[in-house]
């Protein structure tokens, strides 16, 4: 007798699809088979039974470097994630200049603990890599199970230089952590922005022009080069250009420990969405910016080919009012408008409807992109698949349900969605975290605090041998031992 049985559904993992019952005991998958009995039973006949999504790129209760706060806290953000088919999420804990790493994590603990309805962790954003941070606090954070660090190559108050980047990559490599990077060339963006503003081109649509595709391509190339020199794993987040994706694919073919991520906005929106009257285009401002239809097509091809290991929302919710997008007034230039858009609940339905239902990707690819690969990258060893012994993090989908996306139906703390009016087919109906219902039949049944902090393991680099540059190889540098 199991605590819970999910009966009669079609189960999909990153490799297989099969019909079976799932027996769940003590929050974990205890058995796969047929004819199971349980104290509680969910009838999943005619439904898809998938691993719960892992949303590993979202900004929750996070201040920007200029003081703006995202609109979602750990309660509203986790609820919205759960309604979108996610059973776990990993937001950012952002260090700012003058803050210690330990101080940063204590602050985010105070915001997250007792609030989330799904399991959670942190990526640590590093903006001030002092000696203390690098050699004392980052190792301590790793011991806490925070095994991924993010850095920025742009934004004046956040960016690090190449030497600092190498130092962080070296520490991460030593401890088995993953470094994530926002890769855009800061100088190119500043130069373009100044030219546009001086010419009087300040409307939101000019944000797309101020971040040229070349700025991303150059920065991705540089970031990959730095990671190769340090022989460290690196994830290029929110890749928005086919040329940038080409660089990721090339590095992976060479054996480098390079991974790529893209996001829904780059597959479903274009810069024409910014070309709206007044400030309406501000709703579609994010960095890197959305681009054009040819870019969409190129990114879909890379998604199909396996260049991208993960598909994440980059949920960065700023309301369309004076608390968010319009904090600097209704006439602010594009340089003064908060970058980011919501999407944590729509990541999975968008990819399912426009990827799986249209035949662009398989159901197995969908599972890999939205759950399994994130579990391996980020050390979530008990999550990401449906297998005996793993946490019962499960989403039950109706693959035929049709919905029209409307802001009023969202569960985040936002006043708009950039995907308003889009018709999607396929929707999660019931979501479990560790065998406990979070969303059931389209209704929230969990209480804040039901989620737990997840201590994560080191990145799984199986199949990624790395690259040793000749200058660091004793066989090619006269036996010189250089140890990053």
């Amino acid at each position: 007798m199991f605590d819970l049985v999910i009966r009669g559904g079609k189960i999909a993992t990153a490799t297989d699809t099969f019909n079976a019952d799932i027996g769940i005991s003590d929050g974990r998958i205890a058995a796969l088979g047929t004819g199971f009995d349980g104290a509680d039973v969910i009838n999943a006949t005619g439904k898809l039974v998938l691993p719960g999504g892992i949303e590993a790129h979202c900004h929750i209760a996070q201040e920007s470097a200029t003081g703006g706060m995202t609109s979602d806290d750990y309660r509203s953000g986790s609820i919205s994630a759960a309604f979108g088919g996610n059973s776990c999420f990993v937001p950012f804990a952002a260090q700012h200049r003058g803050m210690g790493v330990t101080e940063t994590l204590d602050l985010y603990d105070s915001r997250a603990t007792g609030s989330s309805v799904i399991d959670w962790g942190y990526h640590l954003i590093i903006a001030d890599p002092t000696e203390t941070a690098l050699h004392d606090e980052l190792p301590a954070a790793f011991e806490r199970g925070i095994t991924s660090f993010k850095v920025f190559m742009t934004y004046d108050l956040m960016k690090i230089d190449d030497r600092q980047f190498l130092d962080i990559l070296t520490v991460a490599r030593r401890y088995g952590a993953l470094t994530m990077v926002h890769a855009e060339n800061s100088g190119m963006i500043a130069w373009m922005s100044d030219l546009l503003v001086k010419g009087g081109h300040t409307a939101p649509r000019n944000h797309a022009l101020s971040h040229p595709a070349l700025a991303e391509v150059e920065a991705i190339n540089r970031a990959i080069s730095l990671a190769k020199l340090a022989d460290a794993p690196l994830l290029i987040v929110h890749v928005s250009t086919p040329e940038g994706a080409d660089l990721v694919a090339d590095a992976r073919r060479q054996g480098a420990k390079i991974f790529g991520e893209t996001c829904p906005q780059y597959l479903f929106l274009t810069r024409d969405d910014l070309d709206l009257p007044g400030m309406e285009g501000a709703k579609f401002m994010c960095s890197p910016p959305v681009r054009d239809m040819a870019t969409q097509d190129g990114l879909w091809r890379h998604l199909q080919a396996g260049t991208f290991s993960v598909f994440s929302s980059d949920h960065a919710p700023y309301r369309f009012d004076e608390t968010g997008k319009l904090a600097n007034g209704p006439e602010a230039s594009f340089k003064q408008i908060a970058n980011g858009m919501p999407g944590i609940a729509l990541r999975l339905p968008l990819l399912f409807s426009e990827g799986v239902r249209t035949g662009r990707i398989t159901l197995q690819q969908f599972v890999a992109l939205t759950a399994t690969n994130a579990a391996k990258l980020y050390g979530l060893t008990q999550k990401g698949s449906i297998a005996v012994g793993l946490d019962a993090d499960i989403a039950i989908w109706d693959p035929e349900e049709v919905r029209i996306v409307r802001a009023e139906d969202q569960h985040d703390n936002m006043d708009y969605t950039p995907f308003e009016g889009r018709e999607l087919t396929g929707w999660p109906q019931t979501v479990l975290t560790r065998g406990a219902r979070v969303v059931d039949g389209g209704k929230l049944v969990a209480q804040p605090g039901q989620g737990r902090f997840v201590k994560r393991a080191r990145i799984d680099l199986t199949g990624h041998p790395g690259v040793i540059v000749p200058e660091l190889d004793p066989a090619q540098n006269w036996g010189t031992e250089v140890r990053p």
Side-chain angles (χ1 to χ4, degrees), residues 172-189:
R173 175 180 180 268
R174 185 177 302 138
Y175 289 93
L178 172 68
T179 304
M180 310 159 70
V181 62
H182 178 133
E184 288 185 285
N185 183 298
S186 186
M188 288 182 174
I189 293 168

Side-chain angles (χ1 to χ4, degrees), residues 163-459:
R163 173 65 184 268
Q164 291 171 318
F165 199 164
L166 285 166
D167 288 339
I168 292 166
L169 285 166
T170 300
V171 171
R173 175 180 180 268
R174 185 177 302 138
Y175 289 93
L178 172 68
T179 304
M180 310 159 70
V181 62
H182 178 133
E184 288 185 285
N185 183 298
S186 186
M188 288 182 174
I189 293 168
W191 187 77
M192 284 291 292
S193 297
D194 287 346
L195 289 178
L196 288 163
V197 171
K198 287 176 182 177
H201 308 295
T202 60
R205 68 182 184 183
N206 294 293
H207 170 72
L209 305 181
S210 70
H211 289 243
L214 194 60
E216 179 182 84
V217 176
E218 186 284 329
I220 289 177
N221 183 65
R222 182 156 40 101
I224 289 173
S225 298
L226 294 169
K228 285 181 178 178
L229 183 60
D231 191 28
L234 180 68
L235 170 64
I236 315 293
V237 299
H238 48 50
V239 176
S240 71
T241 58
E243 297 84 359
D246 288 341
L247 292 169
V248 172
D250 288 344
R252 290 171 64 81
R253 282 196 296 268
Q254 295 164 17
K257 302 168 185 174
I258 303 298
F259 304 89
E261 170 204 82
T262 196
C263 307
Q265 49 268 38
Y266 306 117
L267 300 185
F268 302 109
L269 301 174
T270 71
R271 66 184 187 181
D272 290 341
D273 291 303
L274 280 78
D275 189 16
L276 296 173
M279 296 294 282
E280 286 294 313
K283 294 178 179 178
F284 300 89
M285 286 177 57
C286 61
S287 291
V290 294
R291 304 197 187 272
D292 56 24
M293 292 297 295
T295 293
Q296 286 188 6
D297 293 341
L299 293 175
W300 270 111
R301 288 194 292 273
H302 275 286
L303 196 77
Q304 293 163 328
T307 299
F308 299 120
S309 299
V310 285
F311 179 78
S312 309
S313 72
D314 194 7
H315 179 72
Y318 294 100
R319 292 174 64 85
F320 191 60
D321 61 23
E322 66 281 357
T323 69
K325 294 285 189 179
L326 307 181
N328 289 306
E331 303 297 328
S333 78
F334 68 86
K335 288 183 65 175
Q336 300 170 301
I337 298 171
N339 281 206
M341 62 179 73
I344 198 168
L346 292 171
R347 172 183 74 115
L348 298 178
L350 281 164
L351 187 61
F352 185 88
S353 180
E354 303 306 314
V356 178
R357 295 282 309 193
T358 62
R360 281 171 162 148
I361 61 172
T362 67
L363 184 58
Q364 290 76 21
Q365 285 175 302
F366 174 84
V367 171
L369 285 163
T370 60
T372 307
N373 291 349
K376 293 179 179 180
L377 271 176
Y378 298 118
L380 292 158
T381 57
Q382 285 298 121
K383 301 183 183 297
S385 190
I386 295 177
V388 173
L390 297 186
D391 286 350
D393 282 24
I394 294 169
I396 301 173
W397 286 64
D398 182 345
E400 304 298 331
E401 182 176 353
V402 177
R403 290 195 187 184
I404 304 297
V405 175
R406 303 196 188 284
E408 62 194 44
D409 299 327
Q410 303 304 300
H411 297 85
D412 53 23
N413 189 29
M414 284 294 294
D415 52 359
Y416 78 92
T417 169
F419 304 104
E420 184 78 29
R422 188 179 291 269
E423 181 177 288
L424 301 179
T425 301
W427 212 270
Q429 294 188 326
T430 297
V431 177
L432 313 177
T433 295
R434 286 176 288 99
R437 290 173 173 85
V438 179
V439 173
D440 193 16
K443 296 181 180 180
L444 180 70
V445 295
Q447 296 297 317
Q450 183 168 308
R452 298 177 185 171
F453 175 80
V454 180
K455 182 176 181 180
R456 294 182 287 125
R458 62 193 300 147
I459 181 176

